[in-house]
Amino acid sequence: MSEAATVAGPASSSAHTIDRSGEPLIRASGVWKIFGPRADRIVGTPDADLPRAELRAKTGCVAAVRDVSIEVWPGEVFVVMGLSGSGKSTLVRTLIRLIEPTAGQITIAGRDVTAAGRGELRDLRRHDVSMVFQHFGLLAHRRVIDNVAFGLEVQGMPKAERLARAREMLRLVGLEDVENAFPDQLSGGMQQRVGVARAFVVNPKVMLYDEPFSALDPLIRRDMQDEICRLQVETGKTMVFITHDLPEALRLGDRIAIMRDGAIVQLGTPEDLVGSPADDYVANFVRDIPRSHVLTLRWIMRPAAPGEEDGPHLPVGTTVRDAVPAIAASERPVCAVEDGRVVGVVDRTAVLRAIAGEED
Amino acid sequence: MRPWWRGRTVQVAALLAVMWLAYRAFGLEHPWPERLEWNALAGHLNDFQVWLLDRRAADDAGLVFQVFDGFRVLVDDLVTWLTDLLLWATWAGTAAAGTLVVLRFGGYRAALVIAAAFACFAAMGLWEQSVQTLALMLTAVALSLLVGMPLGVLAGRSPRVDRTLTPVLDAMQIVPAFAYLMPVVILFSVGPAAAVVSTMIYAIPPAVRITALGIRGVQPNTVEAAQALGATRVQVLRKVQLPLARRLLLLAVNQTILFALSMVVIAGLIGGRGLGDVVTNGLYSNPALAILGGFAIVIMAIALDRSTEAIANRTDPARRHLTDTLRRRLRLATLATAGGVVAAVAIARAAGAADVYPEEHTAQEWLLARIQSVLDFVQDPTSWVFSLTEPVGTFLLVHLLQPLRAFLVETPWFVTVACLTLIALVLSGRRAGLTVLAMLAGIGVLGEWEAAMDTASQVVVATVLAVAIGLVLGTFAAESRTVSRLLRPVNDVLQTLPQLVYIIPFIYLMPVSIVPGVVAGVLYAFPVVVRLVERGVRDVAPESVEAASAYGATRRQLLAKVKIPLAGDAIMLGVNQGIIMVLAVVVIGGLVGSGGLGYEVAEGLQRNEFGQGVIASLAILGLGIALDRVTRGRRAPRRQGAG
Ligand SMILES: Nc1ncnc2c1ncn2[C@@H]1O[C@H](COP(=O)(O)OP(=O)(O)OP(=O)(O)O)[C@@H](O)[C@H]1O
Ligand SMILES: [Mg+2]
């Protein structure tokens, strides 16, 4: 985990390993959300397979989320990407039933969310899952500190205690000076820090972010991404992160799901997406990303022939870009090493191919 | 995209032409046929009233009667108790207490206005009546809010409730208050309770509407954020929606008060004591006093309006940045105010101040003399005012009201029904057409065809005048900030005046029976048209204006060819609202002898002829709905609330 503390470049967060042997923390299977009249009658009929526009023309319903299944393991950063209107926000809201899913099953931290009654759902929202919103959603009539403490207040925590916790949280996000200010007195970036603090203060197992930074300008956005990475590393939280900004996705995500018209078209690591996009839609998405910044040696290595194992050693997770100096300086193919074992070799041709983007 | 009414103008004109031809050809040959009238209805209604009275007097009155009666007693007691309290506090104590409370929550300007209002009541010698009216209004407003705000919260939170409530509220606002007096009197008998209930019917809709608007106006993402943190529904309401909607909630209070106040005079007709009583009684016996009472009502309206508005603006929590220290200080101020109120009342009582401001110190005599001299002057046929108003009144009567009345009354009834139905169909769609057909047929069956056509002719004349004035002034106001600023206070005052107060001066100014009601209707309705037209013209997309200017259009061309046509919807809305307001005033004109349906209700009230009064009330209701539907136009369907 300590490696990830130096997060700076793209894809570096995939450096930490996730234990996928146990139960996933979030499991959603076959989730549908259809908006419109008599939406519940559509799932399971042939209509459900119609493209979005046709379904709307025929029934007046919009299929915002179609048959989505995901699993997120503890400590993982799961990114959902897609164009505007592809159903990202709807999906993440169905996870805690801010929007009722039309069909499907959702389990979070062992609780069956879809079957939960009102009380249990409230419990889940209070203790297990927190959400950060694109437009902040701060309460304009409360001070910053009261905003941060709101989740605790809702739980019924006594005032002194919740204010102390909120104050501590504000220190963590660097806002201790403005605790008595009101939201409209803060910049957008500061407001979203308040939003993040408000979500963190209840110490949830899962954080949901719905495009938290898209209302911020690029420099602030980068700061905030760093902040999120730092918090993620410090607390080891599981995150579901929505964005339509690909660099952001690649930077934060352990795995990325790409959505189109409500369905997931590809789900994989950043390398999977950049290295082998499932279709033109995904390919278009990742077209402008320098492949060498994302692909690692693992992606381009070939099995070592006998006698090749004595070249310079590099960790298998090194990105191509970072490996270029070593490979250029070496006459021999570079060895990719995992757990002290050589797992493959990479020669100059492979690197050039990867950079040119034509290896198949 | 061309506005919906283009092209339809031609169709409507054609239908009117058909009516005209039929009128010329068959004038008076086809009045509403008697065999289509339900003449026994009045008798049935009278029997029903007798039965109702018997039941209520009976010892074993049923549960429904007990509930009604319990409510009546409760409200009567509440009003009496509140009146007694305000009197007990003595005039000095009450004035000081009111001023202090407004000072705390509304600031010193509002407090000055309130203090001035109390001074006026005292000077006018109408202290007791003012206190009675205040108690009546406070009770009506409190009960209206008690009903209206929870409904508004529900409607704001659930689109379904909103959809269910909207037509009910629409109906409550379309019916002229005058039309539900009779039924209310039957259920609650004459007295404060009846006055409070009829006021509530009028004042609840704005309470519901504005509350719902406030709740809906709270940003959905704040609500969602609270839900995501696991807030319960009650928590979301208490900690998010209500505080954030606070300014609009207070505005709802403000509007409810104003609506309630505009019912004071009518309440006076059915047993509300106080200023309303002064006006309605004085109307026949002591006009100067009636006018003085009218002034007192206006002063009360302005004072309550300004102070509640100030309170609303000062307590917007989102803008107030209420920190802990500030909050503590404010709480101290509230405590101090409470202490001040108690102290003021105690001192006033200890000093032996009277319940009512002592008569010998009022300026009532002097004021009445002034008013009377103005009235005498105006009524003097040799004065210049008379030479101005008399011809105007006569012109209205001879050239507009009488011909139109003849036209509507004498045109064969089936032609009128068919053409009006078709006009509604053309202008507002099929459902409106069917509604109008049903309403007109109903009016005929009730036996009120002629009276209704009479009233309709007055309404049409008044509406045309109001819209004409409104269009001109509204356009000027939209084009010039100065005009807009000058018009605003005039509009405000005209709108806060209770409907009947308008009529009084014109009884003297234009002593031709039906003209006062019509002129009063014009005065009551045109400010709304001005406001809507002004907004419509001003809100025309700047791009369109810019594009036209780029082609070198003059200011006149710009107005005539771009702004007014594009503001068409706003203007049509103005016609729609104006016609309803005009109707409300014109039927009140019945009290001063303007004929038509209003006259029949007034007669029913005064002679206690229940059946006739209720039938005329029903016909007013039908006419109101018909007029509303004809002019409603095809408004954009309501915004569908999400989720
Ligand atoms: N309450 C609703 N009623 C009807 N349709 C809705 C509703 N909410 C969302 N939709 C539709 O569902 C689809 C998915 O919307 P969603 O907000 O999930 O997209 P998104 O991927 O988050 O887009 P963005 O990047 O713009 O936030 C859209 O076509 C939208 O129009
Ligand atoms: Mg979204």
Side-chain angles (χ1 to χ4, degrees):
Chain A
M1 291 281 259
S2 63
E3 271 191 67
T6 59
V7 199
S12 45
S13 64
S14 56
H16 72 268
T17 49
I18 290 141
D19 177 17
R20 295 187 206 274
S21 57
E23 271 291 297
L25 192 59
I26 304 174
R27 168 182 280 147
S29 49
V31 172
W32 287 81
K33 176 64 203 185
I34 300 180
F35 289 108
R38 284 190 285 282
D40 46 324
R41 305 235 184 115
I42 290 175
V43 180
T45 67
D47 279 354
D49 298 327
L50 290 176
R52 220 188 228 182
E54 282 178 37
L55 180 70
R56 164 175 255 165
K58 188 169 169 198
T59 63
C61 292
V62 182
V65 174
R66 325 164 59 116
D67 197 16
V68 165
S69 301
I70 57 171
E71 290 179 334
V72 183
W73 272 270
E76 188 174 22
V77 178
F78 187 92
V79 173
V80 181
M81 275 200 61
L83 296 179
S84 190
S86 55
K88 310 177 295 290
S89 300
T90 309
L91 173 64
V92 78
R93 280 169 174 71
T94 56
L95 292 181
I96 50 173
R97 282 178 47 197
L98 284 175
I99 294 178
E100 285 292 336
T102 313
Q105 238 223 332
I106 295 160
T107 332
I108 295 181
R111 291 183 204 248
D112 185 344
V113 178
T114 26
R118 211 186 270 170
E120 196 180 351
L121 189 61
R122 212 156 47 219
D123 229 38
L124 175 94
R125 291 175 182 175
R126 284 181 180 179
H127 301 290
D128 295 341
V129 187
S130 277
M131 186 155 170
V132 178
F133 296 87
Q134 176 173 6
H135 300 291
F136 320 141
L138 300 180
L139 301 175
H141 63 295
R142 289 164 164 246
R143 294 175 304 163
V144 162
I145 190 159
D146 297 320
N147 264 287
V148 173
F150 187 71
L152 303 171
E153 178 181 341
V154 157
Q155 295 174 15
M157 185 183 281
K159 187 163 183 186
E161 193 181 340
R162 66 175 190 248
L163 287 188
R165 294 249 310 253
R167 205 162 280 130
E168 197 179 312
M169 199 62 228
L170 279 173
R171 198 165 318 121
L172 207 60
V173 296
L175 287 182
E176 60 270 42
D177 297 338
V178 294
E179 62 169 58
N180 285 322
F182 282 78
D184 60 353
Q185 298 169 321
L186 305 184
S187 70
M190 288 160 100
Q191 289 188 37
Q192 194 56 295
R193 273 170 210 264
V194 177
V196 170
R198 177 177 67 181
F200 256 90
V201 79
V202 296
N203 197 19
K205 298 194 182 78
V206 180
M207 292 281 293
L208 307 177
Y209 293 88
D210 183 10
E211 298 193 32
F213 310 139
S214 52
L216 308 179
D217 60 53
L219 280 179
I220 307 279
R221 188 184 304 180
R222 190 149 180 118
D223 272 359
M224 292 295 288
Q225 287 165 5
D226 290 342
E227 185 98 16
I228 293 297
C229 288
R230 181 174 64 79
L231 285 169
Q232 213 279 337
V233 167
E234 282 174 14
T235 58
K237 293 254 184 285
T238 309
M239 306 203 292
V240 175
F241 195 101
I242 311 271
T243 176
H244 56 217
D245 181 34
L246 186 67
E248 188 168 275
L250 295 173
R251 194 155 175 242
L252 298 169
D254 294 312
R255 284 188 304 146
I256 300 172
I258 304 237
M259 288 186 74
R260 175 194 194 175
D261 285 354
I264 292 185
V265 290
Q266 187 169 11
L267 196 166
T269 61
E271 273 184 284
D272 292 334
L273 300 184
V274 175
S276 55
D279 60 10
D280 289 350
Y281 180 77
V282 182
N284 240 330
F285 248 106
V286 298
R287 198 176 50 195
D288 296 329
I289 295 296
R291 295 160 59 83
S292 62
H293 291 201
V294 177
L295 298 186
T296 62
L297 297 184
R298 188 198 303 281
W299 193 260
I300 59 171
M301 69 193 181
R302 59 176 165 76
E308 281 185 321
E309 301 189 352
D310 52 350
H313 284 196
L314 281 178
V316 73
T318 317
T319 60
V320 171
R321 181 183 61 171
D322 294 342
V324 161
I327 294 173
S330 160
E331 286 297 322
R332 308 181 53 82
V334 168
C335 298
V337 182
E338 189 169 28
D339 299 334
R341 249 173 3 91
V342 175
V343 290
V345 294
V346 178
D347 55 26
R348 286 180 189 174
T349 347
V351 170
L352 288 176
R353 274 210 189 115
I355 292 174
E358 58 181 44
E359 61 50 74
D360 269 41
Chain B
M1 195 195 83
R2 67 182 200 172
W4 58 263
W5 40 271
R6 251 307 155 81
R8 292 163 206 239
T9 327
V10 184
Q11 299 168 359
V12 171
L15 285 166
L16 290 175
V18 169
M19 280 176 76
W20 177 253
L21 288 176
Y23 164 60
R24 300 303 298 188
F26 302 104
L28 256 186
E29 282 171 39
H30 299 280
W32 186 275
E34 240 173 80
R35 67 200 142 76
L36 285 185
E37 285 177 7
W38 185 14
N39 285 322
L41 183 59
H44 290 317
L45 285 168
N46 282 330
D47 293 347
F48 174 68
Q49 183 200 14
V50 171
W51 176 81
L52 215 57
L53 291 177
D54 285 351
R55 288 294 299 163
R56 198 156 54 197
D59 293 333
D60 59 340
L63 183 69
V64 179
F65 291 98
Q66 284 175 2
V67 168
F68 269 113
D69 227 42
F71 183 76
R72 180 178 64 82
V73 172
L74 179 82
V75 173
D76 280 355
D77 285 354
L78 213 58
V79 174
T80 315
W81 179 82
L82 204 56
T83 312
D84 289 349
L85 178 73
L86 291 176
L87 290 177
W88 176 85
T90 76
W91 67 269
T94 301
T99 309
L100 278 174
V101 170
V102 173
L103 179 68
R104 159 66 186 87
F105 295 103
Y108 75 94
R109 275 167 190 275
L112 279 181
V113 176
I114 283 284
F118 278 121
C120 287
F121 300 148
M124 286 173 164
L126 293 173
W127 186 269
E128 183 171 6
Q129 290 89 334
S130 301
V131 164
Q132 285 169 339
T133 293
L134 202 58
L136 195 70
M137 284 305 108
L138 290 181
T139 312
V141 167
L143 290 175
S144 300
L145 293 173
L146 210 62
V147 177
M149 283 200 149
L151 283 178
V153 167
L154 288 179
R157 289 173 65 125
S158 146
R160 189 169 332 143
V161 176
D162 189 46
R163 273 196 301 276
T164 326
L165 279 180
T166 302
V168 180
L169 300 181
D170 278 350
M172 284 166 84
Q173 291 195 308
I174 289 172
V175 188
F178 211 55
Y180 48 71
L181 293 186
M182 284 303 294
V184 167
V185 165
I186 285 308
L187 288 173
F188 298 96
S189 70
V190 174
V196 166
V197 169
S198 37
T199 306
M200 281 171 70
I201 297 178
Y202 193 60
I204 284 176
V208 178
R209 288 220 158 101
I210 302 176
T211 306
L213 204 67
I215 297 289
R216 228 177 284 132
V218 174
Q219 296 219 345
N221 55 29
T222 49
V223 173
E224 197 174 36
Q227 285 168 344
L229 287 165
T232 62
R233 285 176 192 218
V234 177
Q235 283 174 328
V236 170
L237 186 63
R238 269 200 29 234
K239 293 173 191 282
V240 181
Q241 289 176 314
L242 288 183
L244 284 173
R246 183 155 166 178
R247 202 179 76 84
L248 267 150
L249 297 187
L250 287 167
L251 203 65
V253 175
N254 170 273
Q255 287 298 304
T256 309
I257 289 178
L258 287 186
F259 272 67
L261 266 169
S262 70
M263 286 288 292
V264 169
V265 178
I266 293 188
L269 283 175
I270 53 172
R273 280 165 299 172
L275 297 173
D277 208 20
V278 171
V279 174
T280 45
N281 275 333
L283 207 52
Y284 303 106
S285 54
N286 186 352
L289 188 60
I291 291 183
L292 194 64
F295 275 122
I297 295 174
V298 173
I299 290 168
M300 188 179 288
I302 292 176
L304 287 176
D305 177 36
R306 292 296 126 86
S307 45
T308 43
E309 196 186 352
I311 293 174
N313 284 336
R314 273 169 53 112
T315 49
D316 186 357
R319 266 191 283 153
R320 223 162 47 139
H321 293 173
L322 211 52
T323 55
D324 273 350
T325 14
L326 200 56
R327 203 180 299 233
R328 213 166 305 130
R329 211 173 299 157
L330 286 178
R331 207 169 296 151
L332 277 181
T334 309
L335 278 178
T337 306
V341 167
V342 172
V345 173
I347 292 172
R349 281 195 66 83
D355 289 1
V356 173
Y357 185 78
E359 211 170 312
E360 57 273 24
H361 299 302
T362 68
Q364 194 181 47
E365 291 297 313
W366 185 80
L367 285 168
L368 287 179
R370 285 313 89 169
I371 295 173
Q372 193 57 53
S373 70
V374 172
L375 285 180
D376 290 343
F377 173 68
V378 164
Q379 274 183 300
D380 177 5
T382 58
S383 81
W384 60 268
V385 181
F386 195 80
S387 69
L388 275 181
T389 56
E390 203 268 348
V392 172
T394 314
F395 176 83
L396 280 179
L397 188 70
V398 174
H399 293 287
L400 293 174
L401 289 165
Q402 281 173 350
L404 192 66
R405 180 181 183 282
F407 172 59
L408 284 177
V409 172
E410 294 177 20
T411 304
W413 64 274
F414 44 86
V415 176
T416 308
V417 170
C419 286
L420 289 182
T421 304
L422 286 173
I423 289 176
L425 191 88
V426 167
L427 286 178
S428 318
R430 206 171 50 204
R431 271 183 63 178
L434 288 177
T435 314
V436 168
L437 180 62
M439 291 303 139
L440 291 178
I443 289 171
V445 169
L446 288 172
E448 298 287 352
W449 183 260
E450 196 181 326
M453 288 302 119
D454 186 357
T455 300
S457 69
Q458 299 174 27
V459 170
V460 170
V461 169
T463 309
V464 168
L465 291 175
V467 169
I469 297 175
L471 258 179
V472 173
L473 291 183
T475 315
F476 270 120
E479 291 288 290
S480 146
R481 298 233 164 250
T482 328
V483 175
S484 171
R485 248 203 319 275
L486 287 177
L487 274 178
R488 188 150 330 129
V490 179
N491 283 354
D492 280 355
V493 169
L494 283 178
Q495 288 219 284
T496 36
L497 284 176
Q499 295 150 2
L500 190 60
V501 173
Y502 286 101
I503 298 183
I504 304 169
F506 291 100
I507 300 173
Y508 301 95
L509 280 173
M510 296 175 176
V512 201
S513 59
I514 61 177
V515 175
V518 170
V519 175
V522 173
L523 282 184
Y524 186 57
F526 92 81
V528 170
V529 184
V530 170
R531 185 132 30 89
L532 287 169
V533 170
E534 178 181 350
R535 205 167 55 201
V537 173
R538 192 174 281 154
D539 287 355
V540 166
E543 306 90 73
S544 322
V545 175
E546 204 167 40
S549 318
Y551 286 111
T554 65
R555 191 165 170 168
R556 270 254 295 284
Q557 285 172 329
L558 212 63
L559 262 177
K561 294 190 193 306
V562 182
K563 290 190 184 173
I564 293 180
L566 282 178
D569 282 346
I571 293 168
M572 200 61 208
L573 190 63
V575 173
N576 181 243
Q577 303 223 326
I579 214 165
I580 294 305
M581 298 174 72
V582 164
L583 176 67
V585 176
V586 163
V587 292
I588 294 178
L591 277 181
V592 293
S594 71
L597 296 170
Y599 179 69
E600 299 198 10
V601 175
E603 283 238 310
L605 274 175
Q606 275 153 8
R607 298 212 195 130
N608 206 9
E609 282 182 18
F610 175 67
Q612 193 48 44
V614 168
I615 288 176
S617 299
L618 285 175
I620 292 177
L621 170 62
L623 188 63
I625 295 178
L627 289 172
D628 175 60
R629 291 308 187 273
V630 171
T631 53
R632 180 166 279 207
R634 296 170 195 237
R635 283 189 208 152
R638 288 187 159 272
R639 183 185 64 88
Q640 291 233 325

